[in-house]
Amino acid sequence: MEKEQLSAPGEKSSLRMKWWMWVIIGAGGLILVAAIVSQVSIKSLSRHIEHQMNSRLKGYTVRVGRVYFKPLPLSVGLSNVALVQNANPDPPMADVKWIYGSIHWRALLAGHLVGDILIDTPKLHLNLAHIREEEKSKVPLRQKGWQESIQAVLPIRINIITIRNGEVTYIDEGPAKPLQVREIFLKASNIRNISVPDKTYPSGIKMEARVFEKGALKLDGRANFLQEPYPGVKATVELAGIELADLTPVLKKANILIKKGTLSGKGAVEYAPDITEINLESVELKGPAIDYVTLPQTTEAEKERARAAARKAKEASTESSAKIRVGLLTISQGAFGFVNKSESPPFRLFIDNTNATMKNFSNRFAEGPSNLDLTGKFMGTGSTRITGTFRPEKKSPDFNVNVVIENTEMPAMSDLFRAYGDFDIKSGLFSFYSEVGVKDNMVKGYVKPLFKEMKIENRQEKGVIHKAYVGAVKGLSKLLRNEPRKEIATQTDISGPLEGPRPDTWQALVNLVRNAFIKAILPGFQREVGRPSSS
């Protein structure tokens, strides 16, 4: 009896060991079978993933190089994944070296399907052909099936998604240097595969990247990756040391040439299909050198661009979905020029040594008044001060601008005088004063150009008629001259209605600069005097 009692625990322990042995053998067998099946069905699995995504995409095709499956730990890997635009398949718009996904066992045992995703070395390539094809596509972006295709192959809640060593490249026409954002690192959590209300961002997100050669980008906030037709994000953003010259391939189509300068700034951004809000605390431009160049072959395009910009500005100022505000914009040691290659000879007007601040700048002037204070050197020598106040815009522009330019050495303006007056300036000083106010679609103000100790030089290659013309100019200058101070001064009233039907503030300001400054800079010496032909 005692022996039976003593042997019972040993027998039970032996039974338990045998039971665990069978469990281990059974589990091992299942894993082995799964591994064999996975290797047999790798090709069909990759084709299945391609089919699931491509059946939902419109205008694009996904290709999967190879699929890897590991039963323990439960994970799937995809290598050499490519996305091509069907109309422009070469080069692919995107290619990814490696995508790795793993399932959380604990969550699986609790009845939840949760996993982590690692995307290694993804590269996005964009060129002008890709963009033009998207612009002319008759299928709206929200109907292209991006979100549906992703959810079809990832029917799980993603705990963490990590992008490592990403790269975005834009290649424009011609020999222009590509624009690149490199060394992209992104980490996001709680990527849901269910719909959420608009303006809801369930996923935490952090991102760092190198912009162009030396610039840096940091982003910290929340996102909705499955929002249609494209992901939405709400985050704080910081930019540092972005080289402006690298933007030349994009801006040259707008006749803007950037030689140098850097951009930095910080603030908050919300960008989603139904809202765009950019609220920056500060933006700083260091040493920008920017010219606007007008060309004979782009004159009509420039006019249409100006009209389109005016329409966009008006839409942006009234639509609740587009808001842009900069608390403080600062410019240090800048140079800004206007180059006119449509005249003969071509000329350039510029202001350098520019330092400026603009407070509370916004595309929606109802955000409150904006204040501008700018100093610099007109044509490198003329001491310049421009101040302005831009008040809340309702139905029409409402602002005041004051301009003072003093003692510009006139030989620097010779090309301008040759283009519009067909004569040379040997010496003299130019000054300019203006006060302009705009309200209720009416302009009230004046412009006063002042020429001091001006000497006009006869051009030797011109004939008798031109010499007579120069003589008339000299006579007119003597008639207008204040003899004690040897100055020529005229003050022109520019009061009246604004040009164009209901222009926006910036359109009105550009028109005033063109009409009040460029035309008034040569009082009595404009083309109305008559441009004689050469002999």
Side-chain angles (χ1 to χ4, degrees):
M1 191 71 174
E2 292 180 0
K3 289 181 179 181
E4 291 178 2
Q5 291 176 348
L6 290 172
S7 63
E11 291 177 358
K12 292 179 180 180
S13 176
S14 177
L15 288 173
R16 283 197 297 270
M17 290 181 64
K18 290 180 181 179
W19 184 84
W20 278 110
M21 186 178 295
W22 283 111
V23 169
I24 293 171
I25 293 172
L30 289 174
I31 293 172
L32 180 61
V33 170
I36 294 173
V37 171
S38 69
Q39 294 300 317
V40 172
S41 60
I42 282 296
K43 191 169 184 177
S44 61
L45 182 58
S46 63
R47 301 291 80 82
H48 172 75
I49 292 174
E50 287 181 352
H51 174 74
Q52 288 296 312
M53 299 189 74
N54 294 330
S55 63
R56 292 163 173 82
L57 287 173
K58 295 179 176 63
Y60 295 85
T61 299
V62 172
R63 297 171 184 163
V64 179
R66 184 173 175 82
V67 178
Y68 302 87
F69 176 75
K70 293 183 179 180
L72 193 65
L74 187 55
S75 60
V76 176
L78 284 71
S79 66
N80 300 322
V81 180
L83 172 70
V84 299
Q85 187 183 65
N86 296 341
N88 300 285
D90 188 26
M93 285 190 66
D95 59 77
V96 184
K97 181 179 179 181
W98 178 261
I99 301 175
Y100 177 80
S102 60
I103 302 298
H104 291 192
W105 279 101
R106 291 185 178 179
L108 187 62
L109 294 175
H112 303 293
L113 199 55
V114 180
D116 293 343
I117 301 292
L118 170 63
I119 303 176
D120 187 43
T121 318
K123 295 183 179 181
L124 177 64
H125 308 273
L126 294 174
N127 58 36
L128 206 55
H130 293 141
I131 294 173
R132 286 174 176 169
E133 178 63 27
E134 188 61 46
E135 288 176 345
K136 71 179 183 180
S137 174
K138 296 181 179 180
V139 180
L141 185 61
R142 66 176 63 251
Q143 296 179 14
K144 292 194 181 284
W146 297 105
Q147 279 74 6
E148 295 92 334
S149 65
I150 293 173
Q151 293 181 67
V153 297
L154 293 175
I156 64 174
R157 194 190 84 187
I158 300 173
N159 183 51
I160 295 176
I161 184 170
T162 303
I163 294 177
R164 184 172 62 193
N165 197 29
E167 181 177 295
V168 178
T169 302
Y170 171 73
I171 303 174
D172 205 274
E173 292 179 315
K177 180 181 177 181
L179 295 179
Q180 286 190 319
V181 179
R182 292 178 286 178
E183 299 176 13
I184 300 172
F185 175 83
L186 183 146
K187 188 172 185 178
S189 58
N190 191 29
I191 316 296
R192 299 188 184 182
N193 65 331
I194 59 174
S195 297
V196 296
D198 290 342
K199 299 184 181 180
T200 301
Y201 305 97
S203 307
I205 180 173
K206 289 181 180 293
M207 175 181 169
E208 294 184 2
R210 180 154 64 98
V211 182
F212 310 151
E213 291 297 326
K214 301 177 182 178
L217 165 67
K218 291 184 179 180
L219 184 146
D220 189 354
R222 305 193 68 80
N224 181 354
F225 288 97
L226 297 180
Q227 190 169 358
E228 295 183 359
Y230 52 82
V233 63
K234 184 176 183 179
T236 59
V237 177
E238 184 175 347
L239 303 171
I242 296 177
E243 297 285 345
L244 296 174
D246 289 331
L247 294 171
T248 297
V250 177
L251 296 178
K252 69 179 181 181
K253 295 182 178 62
N255 294 69
I256 296 174
L257 175 62
I258 302 181
K259 298 178 182 178
K260 64 176 183 177
T262 61
L263 167 68
S264 299
K266 60 180 180 180
V269 173
E270 184 172 6
Y271 183 75
D274 60 341
I275 187 171
T276 299
E277 288 194 15
I278 302 175
N279 192 347
L280 301 178
E281 297 175 24
S282 62
V283 173
E284 182 180 16
L285 296 175
K286 287 186 177 181
I290 304 173
D291 278 352
Y292 180 85
V293 183
T294 183
L295 302 165
Q297 63 269 29
T298 63
T299 301
E300 290 303 317
E302 291 176 54
K303 292 179 180 178
E304 177 54 36
R305 193 184 305 124
R307 290 190 288 265
R311 291 192 298 268
K312 292 291 185 182
K314 188 173 291 295
E315 292 171 3
S317 66
T318 56
E319 293 180 358
S320 60
S321 61
K323 298 179 182 179
I324 300 174
R325 180 183 176 276
V326 179
L328 179 63
L329 170 65
T330 60
I331 300 173
S332 59
Q333 292 301 305
F336 301 92
F338 170 77
V339 181
N340 190 339
K341 293 188 176 181
S342 298
E343 296 292 341
S344 180
F347 65 87
R348 178 174 183 258
L349 300 179
F350 65 90
I351 178 171
D352 59 9
N353 294 313
T354 303
N355 295 288
T357 61
M358 190 163 195
K359 298 178 181 178
N360 196 34
F361 170 81
S362 176
N363 71 323
R364 295 169 58 87
F365 296 97
E367 295 288 332
S370 301
N371 297 295
L372 170 67
D373 191 344
L374 179 148
T375 61
K377 293 290 185 180
F378 178 63
M379 304 304 290
T381 57
S383 178
T384 302
R385 178 80 181 271
I386 301 174
T387 59
T389 300
F390 303 86
R391 288 175 290 276
E393 180 177 15
K394 295 180 181 179
K395 294 183 179 180
S396 62
D398 187 351
F399 63 86
N400 291 89
V401 175
N402 299 330
V403 179
V404 175
I405 301 173
E406 294 184 319
N407 298 325
T408 304
E409 295 180 4
M410 292 182 66
M413 303 166 63
S414 290
D415 287 341
L416 174 69
F417 287 98
R418 292 192 189 104
Y420 286 97
D422 208 12
F423 57 86
D424 291 329
I425 296 295
K426 186 175 182 180
S427 63
L429 297 175
F430 166 76
S431 298
F432 180 86
Y433 305 89
S434 178
E435 293 184 7
V436 177
V438 175
K439 190 172 185 177
D440 297 329
N441 280 324
M442 296 294 293
V443 181
K444 185 176 181 180
Y446 71 88
V447 293
K448 182 180 179 180
L450 180 67
F451 301 87
K452 185 177 181 181
E453 300 177 354
M454 182 174 66
K455 292 184 180 181
I456 300 173
E457 187 174 40
N458 193 10
R459 297 177 68 183
Q460 296 299 321
E461 72 275 12
K462 294 294 184 178
V464 175
I465 295 177
H466 181 262
K467 290 178 180 179
Y469 165 69
V470 172
V473 171
K474 289 180 178 180
L476 182 59
S477 69
K478 289 180 180 179
L479 181 65
L480 296 173
R481 181 177 299 163
N482 181 318
E483 285 299 338
R485 291 182 295 176
K486 295 184 178 181
E487 295 176 347
I488 302 172
T490 59
Q491 180 166 314
T492 305
D493 184 86
I494 58 170
S495 300
L498 285 175
E499 288 188 1
R502 298 183 61 185
D504 66 276
T505 294
W506 300 116
Q507 183 184 14
L509 187 59
V510 169
N511 286 341
L512 285 173
V513 170
R514 182 187 65 219
N515 294 334
F517 183 76
I518 299 297
K519 292 184 179 180
I521 204 172
L522 296 169
F525 306 143
Q526 295 184 27
R527 288 175 175 160
E528 286 79 0
V529 175
R531 182 177 295 195
S533 60
S534 60
S535 59

